[in-house]
Amino acid sequence: MSSPARQIAGSFRDPSGFLFQQDGTLYRQINDSYAADWQLLQASGLLQALHTRGWLVSHEAAPPELAQGESALAIIQPRRLPFISYPYEWSFAQLKDAALLTLDIQRLALKHGMTLKDASAYNVQWDDHRPIFIDTLSFTACQEGEPWVAYRQFCQHFLAPLALMARTDCRCAQMLRIHLDGIPLDFASRLMPRSSWLNPRLAPHLHLHAWFQNRYAGSGDKTDKGRRMPRHALAGLLDSLRTLIHSLKWKPGNTEWDDYYTETNYSANARAHKERIIADLLQRLKPGTVWDLGANRGDFSRLASQQGAFTVAFDIDPSCVHRNWRQIRDQQETRLLPLIQDLANPSPSLGWHHQERFSLLERGPADVVMALALIHHLAISNNVPLTKLASFFADCGPELIIEFVPKQDSQVQRLLASRNDIFPDYTAAGFETAFQACFTIQEKVEIDDSERTLYHLKRHA
Amino acid sequence: MFFLAYLDPGTGSYLLQLVLGLIFGTLFFLKMFWRRLLGLLPGHKNDNEDPDS
């Protein structure tokens, strides 16, 4: 017997259709109101062109009996991506790649007589080393002379955060977590350095845009919306946006974690031993999905992705995630997704009814969780008790590969140098006791040439 | 936010597009014209970024 269909909350705003899940499969319903555009999308060749380029997630036709309600025109089954991530979890390089894809799709759509009716960053996800557009119903017929209806949204979702990251501070990207429809342009304009007013590419789309919004806010129907925008003017606008986005650069600074691999206290022998133990464990566990928490630039994440597991490499440092993504993109790596995540304050459920954007744990569990050289930071720098760490990791997945870094370790000594040692339970024995509340110790290996121990723990049934 | 509830930021965006479309549209036209002109020269490599090409 099939289970009842469950509508995916993040897709309720669009009257053209919605996503729903039934018996573990994801479907998209296309409503009658989208009939003309759906016909044009296929007949114009745009759908085919998008799929050929790998720009839009592919789909198969699904049985019409799955229709939810009277208004269904068709049901499709989109190819399911292994992990849905959000713009506030992306690095600068990822947001920029997503922006360029959106503009390329809009230019391609115009050539086929269609246009993107929204330019939300949430419509872009990651397919191995490339961004991919996931909303098949974002395309609508382009009326001659009509400006780009999603121009403002594009500037809020992509231009404003990228410009702020490039010119003000890369941490400004976190504002996307508060402003789910992108950073308001007047706000972004105020936060930009004054010199940005002199930038002839940036100033019109950001500063002048914010000024126009403010100047004409409330003018409503007094404004003549009947004026036309010739096609070459629209092409010029898109070309200027593409050139602008392309020109925005962010150079990762020397952040705390960026030099981590060169700054660790591992000898070559210890590191090789650690890699062997982890690779061997992964070989035996054969996970489908792995979350590497505190992954840095993903050296150990690759042990999992190269064995065939879809691996998410989470790190708190935007520089590490930025470099990791660029490596994945440049080397065309597969099954590896780097994301920014502060484990002391992980992504929450957001949006309407707390259901539009899922929390980190709602997007789990992973088959295997790795926490390498991590817990001393959470336990000592963030004062999280070991029992709390155990219960968080248990919620992330059933198998845990975790490295215990004792107080004698020089890296922990560095952490303790600037704070009182109020962690009497932070010992190997204390760690084992705390974690045995949620896990059983399957295996325990001391890493050669170091003070550290690797554990394989299995969550209690 | 209440104080923004009845204000429409879309109007400003709409009008700005008309203005910028005029400027960038002209620049784009000249850019394309220049590229085509260069393309006529012997030995010139076409670096058109057209997504449909």
Side-chain angles (χ1 to χ4, degrees):
Chain A
M1 201 181 124
S2 67
S3 62
R6 187 171 58 85
Q7 192 169 335
I8 308 290
S11 66
F12 69 87
R13 289 180 197 271
D14 186 358
S16 307
F18 55 88
L19 284 166
F20 65 95
Q21 189 165 305
Q22 188 156 16
D23 297 324
T25 307
L26 188 69
Y27 298 100
R28 187 185 287 281
Q29 174 161 321
I30 301 166
N31 287 336
D32 283 330
S33 62
Y34 193 65
D37 286 330
W38 181 237
Q39 166 69 21
L40 183 60
L41 183 63
Q42 297 170 94
S44 67
L46 176 58
L47 189 66
Q48 181 63 40
L50 289 164
H51 284 158
T52 306
R53 287 167 175 76
W55 289 357
L56 175 68
V57 76
S58 59
H59 66 257
E60 291 169 11
E65 307 85 81
L66 292 167
Q68 312 289 307
E70 298 294 303
S71 56
L73 174 77
I75 308 291
I76 57 173
Q77 183 186 334
R79 177 167 66 90
R80 194 164 198 153
L81 297 171
F83 192 86
I84 295 296
S85 62
Y86 303 124
Y88 45 83
E89 299 169 333
W90 301 345
S91 61
F92 178 85
Q94 286 169 299
L95 189 62
K96 182 171 165 174
D97 285 351
L100 292 173
L101 175 75
T102 305
L103 290 174
D104 286 345
I105 288 178
Q106 169 65 358
R107 295 205 301 187
L108 185 63
L110 285 176
K111 285 185 186 297
H112 290 82
M114 298 196 84
T115 183
L116 277 177
K117 64 184 174 187
D118 50 40
S120 163
Y122 295 88
N123 283 343
V124 180
Q125 291 296 326
W126 306 98
D127 189 21
D128 288 333
H129 50 87
R130 306 195 325 169
I132 189 165
F133 201 76
I134 58 164
D135 188 3
T136 314
L137 309 187
S138 277
F139 302 89
T140 191
C142 182
Q143 308 302 329
E144 192 58 45
E146 187 183 58
W148 187 21
V149 67
Y151 171 61
R152 175 174 67 94
Q153 199 180 31
F154 180 85
C155 292
Q156 290 185 178
H157 279 239
F158 294 108
L159 176 61
L162 283 170
L164 284 168
M165 280 194 264
R167 300 290 165 85
T168 302
D169 193 305
C170 79
R171 289 169 292 188
C172 290
Q174 285 304 304
M175 288 195 295
L176 288 169
R177 195 155 131 169
I178 302 164
H179 300 284
L180 288 188
D181 196 25
I183 302 172
L185 298 181
D186 61 322
F187 188 28
S189 175
R190 275 194 211 184
L191 294 171
M192 290 292 287
R194 284 191 184 165
S195 59
S196 64
W197 280 90
L198 301 174
N199 183 323
R201 286 187 183 135
L202 179 63
H205 293 295
L206 186 64
H207 295 303
L208 196 62
H209 198 164
W211 184 87
F212 259 70
Q213 285 185 337
N214 186 42
R215 169 70 181 75
Y216 293 99
S219 59
D221 55 5
K222 281 180 283 178
T223 310
D224 175 17
K225 282 202 175 183
R227 272 175 276 188
R228 320 301 290 163
M229 185 164 182
R231 191 56 68 88
H232 81 270
L234 193 51
L237 185 90
L238 291 170
D239 185 66
S240 77
L241 274 175
R242 202 182 191 288
T243 309
L244 166 60
I245 297 287
H246 197 71
S247 73
L248 292 172
K249 303 265 190 295
W250 176 64
K251 196 166 172 286
N254 289 328
T255 54
E256 188 182 357
W257 304 102
D258 207 29
D259 297 329
Y260 191 73
Y261 288 134
T262 48
E263 282 229 340
T264 51
N265 53 8
Y266 274 111
S267 65
N269 185 29
R271 194 184 151 102
H273 188 216
K274 180 174 166 179
E275 280 183 7
R276 274 201 312 278
I277 304 165
I278 295 165
D280 179 52
L281 269 170
L282 290 168
Q283 190 81 48
R284 279 183 279 141
L285 290 168
K286 296 201 181 345
T289 52
V290 171
W291 284 5
D292 186 4
L293 305 176
N296 204 270
R297 276 184 256 163
D299 286 12
F300 291 97
S301 317
R302 284 173 173 80
L303 295 175
S305 63
Q306 286 167 3
Q307 281 193 19
F310 177 80
T311 307
V312 190
F314 294 106
D315 203 274
I316 192 173
D317 188 334
S319 292
C320 294
V321 178
H322 179 82
R323 288 186 201 273
N324 199 356
W325 170 250
R326 285 175 55 155
Q327 185 181 339
I328 291 164
R329 188 185 58 191
D330 297 345
Q331 307 292 321
Q332 306 205 342
E333 293 182 56
T334 55
R335 296 182 298 274
L336 184 55
L337 174 63
L339 294 176
I340 297 167
Q341 194 65 246
D342 176 3
L343 294 173
N345 181 21
S347 299
S349 314
L350 291 172
W352 184 257
H353 209 153
H354 304 287
Q355 288 176 359
E356 279 189 271
R357 311 291 164 222
F358 298 119
S359 73
L360 173 65
L361 288 179
E362 282 171 319
R363 287 173 279 163
D367 297 336
V368 167
V369 177
M370 301 204 294
L372 308 172
L374 174 70
I375 65 157
H376 54 305
H377 295 293
L378 296 173
I380 292 175
S381 309
N382 287 287
N383 286 16
V384 182
L386 289 169
T387 47
K388 297 270 182 203
L389 286 177
S391 75
F392 173 72
F393 291 136
D395 281 347
C396 291
E399 307 273 355
L400 176 63
I401 300 172
I402 187 165
E403 181 178 8
F404 182 72
V405 187
K407 274 188 193 166
Q408 306 87 285
D409 188 279
S410 61
Q411 297 291 78
V412 181
Q413 286 299 317
R414 278 175 68 184
L415 293 180
L416 286 170
S418 57
R419 41 175 74 78
N420 290 330
D421 186 354
I422 52 164
F423 315 99
D425 297 331
Y426 191 83
T427 60
F431 165 80
E432 288 180 16
T433 307
F435 274 69
Q436 277 171 323
C438 300
F439 294 93
T440 309
I441 299 174
Q442 300 290 102
E443 211 171 329
K444 171 180 170 184
V445 189
E446 288 178 5
I447 301 173
D448 290 350
D449 279 353
S450 85
E451 308 273 356
R452 304 177 172 203
T453 311
L454 267 175
Y455 290 81
H456 167 213
L457 307 179
K458 192 177 183 66
R459 191 173 66 193
H460 296 325
Chain B
M1 284 181 286
F2 177 76
F3 61 92
L4 283 175
Y6 295 101
L7 300 183
D8 172 22
T11 306
S13 296
Y14 178 93
L15 290 173
L16 178 72
Q17 271 195 80
L18 299 181
V19 176
L20 295 186
L22 204 67
I23 300 165
F24 290 125
T26 310
L27 291 173
F28 185 62
F29 178 79
L30 292 173
K31 186 169 138 182
M32 288 294 125
F33 180 74
W34 182 242
R35 273 192 191 168
R36 273 188 202 143
L37 206 66
L38 284 178
L40 293 176
L41 296 177
H44 181 79
K45 209 173 125 199
N46 193 355
D47 59 346
N48 198 346
E49 288 175 21
D50 192 328
D52 216 16
S53 61

